[in-house]
Amino acid sequence: MTASPQSNPDPPDAEPPRVLGHLKRGAPKEKAVGAEAVTQSLKHLNGQAGVKRGAQALYRLNQKGGFDCPSCAWPDPDGERSRFEFCENGVKAVATEATRKRADRAFFARHSVAALAEKSDFWLNDAGRLTEPMLLDAGAEHYRPVSWEAAVGILAEELNAVQPDEAVFYTSGRASNEAAFLYQLFVRQYGTNNLPDCSNMCHESSGAALGQTIGVGKGTVTLEDIEQTDCLLIMGQNPGTNHPRMLTSLEKMVRRGGKIVSVNPLLETGLKAFAHPQKVSGLIGRATPLCSLHLPVRLNGDLPFLKGMLKCVFEEEARRPGTVVDREFIAAHTRGYEETAAALNEVSWSDIEAQSGLTVVQIREAAAVFMGAREAVTCWAMGLTQHHNAVETIREIVNLHLLTGKIGRPRSGLCPVRGHSNVQGDRSMGICEKMPEAFLRSLEQEFDFTAPRCHGYDTCASIEAMHAGRARVFFGLGGNFLSAAPDTRYTAAALRRCSLTAHVSTKLNRGHLVTGARALILPCLGRTETDLQADGPQFVTVENSMGVVHSSEGRLTPASPGLLSEVAIVCRLARATLGGRSSVPWEEFEVGYDRIRDRIARVVPGFEDFNTKARQPGGFYLPNPVKERRFATASGRAEFSVNPLRPLRLEADQLLLQTFRSHDQFNTTVYGHDDRYRGIRGERRIIFMNPADMEARGIAPEQPVDITSHHNGETRVAEFFLAVPYETPRGCAAAYYPEANVLVPIGFRAAVSNTPASKSIIITVAPARPDWPGRDR
């Protein structure tokens, strides 16, 4: 029988507790990586996995024929690779996966759910690998072990007790192509398109903007293009922390004479200078300066900045006709130029300066670098994608490249830098609530069923549906849904209204502690581990940010004999739930993944002869027509666009807040309480503020403050953060997620993409209430 929602007593707090209050501040670092990164990497690796197991893992990490790093999606070199093709955060991710620690049945017997909720996110992740399926019964205080057969049976029972559209099937970017393809097949045979994924919260805006303008929702460049271009415009990205291996490519680009222009509210250490840890010079502290020019744009000031860049292009073209605007390319390959040019004439420099926080002089300097470069690439990340006008901003980047013809040719183009290692591949495999009709028809033809056509729920719509009682079962294939989602308390309430919440995971996280009436934890193999099935050892595939699909095969002994692969979990769930309603050979897919790839090859364009291509050392590139100046839009041309300025209007005492990562975390996984590059140690409950903004509010350094967000008459409060003065534009502030996600309104989202606007939250800051009940947690 299904359990009724909200039957667990005294549900635990959904937010991370305050850390220890041992904040130590220093000056931000002037260079990234170097010997300290090596020291920290070895410390984590040896402390978690031990010397032998850790070394075995690193030897195969990101190597041809090895396994793909479980953290970011930065690509590997096509040709020869270093034996050390990894970064500090990659080592931390591997170390925590290969750890000797275990969160087993004895662990759950010792710790109640309420007691675990009092622990920090770092403590939860550090508890060790999950070892067997665990069930939280309705009204129970502790998880208890169950067999795989029982766990899958409970899931099937719950799914068959509700209508298909009352179930939500989330996917994290860590899922392999093979698992993702089978997962979406199962969900669609079950009868719904409710397939939200982590992309909905990060690069959905990129996919929407690029799909509209160039006909493909992916980047258009290769790693070689990045390393050999003349100008790299990096917007809303912090490569030193979020994509550290990118620094090697930036160093190569700079050393051959290229210039980097950084556009970001903060000048992050990773764009100041890079001390290469594989060179003697880097280990002794000598660093290569990276950024030629930094523009400290205001939060949400990127669109007006780009309009300033476009105005500079037109002005320079008027002075030197035929030298800046690529009229031949525009005439042959684009549509909408005249409308875009006319709309730009209506935008004043005074509006651009006021809204961007930059001067005309600063913007002209950046434009001179871009225009003076024969080839140019623009990179961006969530500093652009998580605003209410994110899609418009990215379309304006496309306008800049179309206007100058710097797209669809070597060393020029567009590069959305993805955050998770296979988030792009999951979308290629059909993880989306609104896949194109051609994909659905191909899927139907291959598997002889009728796929649903009604669009499903994306991430925010899923949360709203669970909150309203329209969705009652939540299943997560990887990830930490609660902590990644916006509006933490609202999301927690939504999950608690479910009859069942279930998560496929390798490690414990806060999402396991905020549950429906019943909850399941389903432990799976990690990327580092051998996947041994009846047909022998198996490999899976992933797709990186540059559209390269390659194999990933772990060799470490699994953390527990009770673990299943993601593929096996999906296959068993599909069999138990669908029974005779499905003719798909789920048993055959579970024991041999070549059979899955054969089917993918017949359904997904670009994956023809998949098994052969997947065995090529280094993998293969998916087709990208933009590289050949072919645009798969309705018109067959690249589309210029008109993107009106829609600035946020703040009251006199209000600021804009962005959420971001510390250096000691990857996405929502927290490896420690330090943020070395920003000079922070021992605390995460921090708000970075401009010193003048602190002085105007009478707030002293490290004074506890409460932060209140404001949206459509609603307020949300995050209590007891320590105010830290930092070099950021006036009116702008920053705080770490997931701690600050409580401030992100569920209803404040990007137009078109529906992505939470986590980088431009309207807030006020005031001294903390002395009676805050959580201050000593």
Side-chain angles (χ1 to χ4, degrees), residues 70-88:
S71 56
C72 85
W74 189 250
D76 309 306
D78 290 335
E80 186 178 348
R81 297 181 185 176
S82 162
R83 289 308 316 178
F84 304 96
E85 200 62 54
F86 47 79
C87 68
E88 179 184 348

Side-chain angles (χ1 to χ4, degrees), residues 78-139:
D78 290 335
E80 186 178 348
R81 297 181 185 176
S82 162
R83 289 308 316 178
F84 304 96
E85 200 62 54
F86 47 79
C87 68
E88 179 184 348
N89 267 4
V91 173
K92 291 174 182 175
V94 168
T96 58
E97 183 175 293
T99 183
R100 295 165 296 184
K101 301 177 182 180
R102 300 290 180 264
D104 55 15
R105 60 173 62 188
F107 171 90
F108 284 101
R110 289 194 305 271
H111 301 285
S112 69
V113 171
L116 289 171
E118 293 294 316
K119 303 296 186 181
S120 71
D121 288 339
F122 165 74
W123 191 96
L124 295 176
N125 181 68
D126 196 52
R129 288 290 298 276
L130 299 162
T131 62
E132 60 185 320
M134 303 298 295
L135 170 67
L136 183 67
D137 290 302

Side-chain angles (χ1 to χ4, degrees), residues 108 120 136 192 261 278 306 313 433 447 469 497 579 587 700:
F108 284 101
S120 71
L136 183 67
T192 185
V261 176
Q278 296 179 36
L306 288 163
V313 170
E433 77 282 359
F447 292 102
R497 291 174 183 175
E587 297 94 334

Side-chain angles (χ1 to χ4, degrees), residues 408-576:
R409 66 192 196 199
R411 304 190 294 134
S412 279
L414 307 167
C415 182
V417 184
R418 306 282 176 172
H420 211 162
S421 58
N422 197 43
V423 63
Q424 190 160 296
D426 288 348
R427 184 58 56 90
S428 296
M429 292 297 103
I431 299 296
C432 181
E433 77 282 359
K434 49 184 179 184
M435 284 300 286
E437 177 64 22
F439 178 93
L440 297 177
R441 285 201 303 268
S442 183
L443 193 70
E444 289 175 331
Q445 182 177 352
E446 181 63 29
F447 292 102
D448 191 26
F449 79 109
T450 301
R453 290 306 195 274
C454 181
H455 287 177
Y457 297 137
D458 63 12
T459 293
C460 286
S462 294
I463 296 168
E464 291 172 329
M466 290 186 287
H467 199 276
R470 297 193 306 274
R472 296 190 287 155
V473 177
F474 175 87
F475 184 91
L477 183 61
N480 181 355
F481 184 81
L482 171 70
S483 296
D487 214 336
T488 309
R489 293 166 191 162
Y490 182 93
T491 299
L495 290 167
R496 287 175 178 141
R497 291 174 183 175
C498 291
S499 60
L500 176 71
T501 50
H503 300 267
V504 177
S505 306
T506 58
K507 307 288 292 293
L508 187 64
N509 66 56
R510 195 161 301 278
H512 302 138
L513 311 177
V514 177
T515 72
R518 289 195 291 179
L520 281 165
I521 301 174
L522 306 175
C524 67
L525 294 171
R527 290 264 180 90
T528 59
E529 294 169 322
T530 298
D531 185 353
L532 184 61
Q533 302 295 339
D535 282 5
Q538 303 295 312
F539 71 87
V540 294
T541 60
V542 295
E543 179 185 341
N544 66 33
S545 273
M546 306 294 185
V548 177
V549 178
H550 61 89
S551 65
S552 178
E553 184 176 4
R555 294 282 178 83
L556 295 184
T557 301
S560 165
L563 305 182
L564 292 181
S565 71
E566 293 171 317
V567 167
I569 293 171
V570 172
C571 287
R572 294 186 187 189
L573 177 59
R575 280 159 40 201

Side-chain angles (χ1 to χ4, degrees), residues 271-317:
L271 285 172
K272 294 177 184 177
F274 172 50
H276 201 307
Q278 296 179 36
K279 298 178 180 178
V280 174
S281 59
L283 289 175
I284 64 174
R286 294 178 186 170
T288 301
L290 295 180
C291 182
S292 300
L293 177 65
H294 172 66
L295 275 65
V297 68
R298 291 187 70 250
L299 286 172
N300 199 235
D302 304 282
L303 180 56
F305 158 74
L306 288 163
K307 290 193 179 295
M309 292 282 283
L310 289 167
K311 288 179 81 72
C312 289
V313 170
F314 279 113
E315 290 171 2
E316 191 64 19
E317 175 68 12

Side-chain angles (χ1 to χ4, degrees), residues 177-210:
N177 287 330
E178 290 75 10
F181 181 78
L182 292 186
Y183 187 52
Q184 63 82 30
L185 173 62
F186 156 60
V187 171
R188 291 189 163 101
Q189 287 207 331
Y190 172 68
T192 185
N193 283 311
N194 289 346
L195 283 159
D197 74 325
C198 58
S199 182
N200 299 152
M201 295 182 279
C202 57
H203 270 288
E204 196 70 42
S205 298
S206 299
L210 297 178

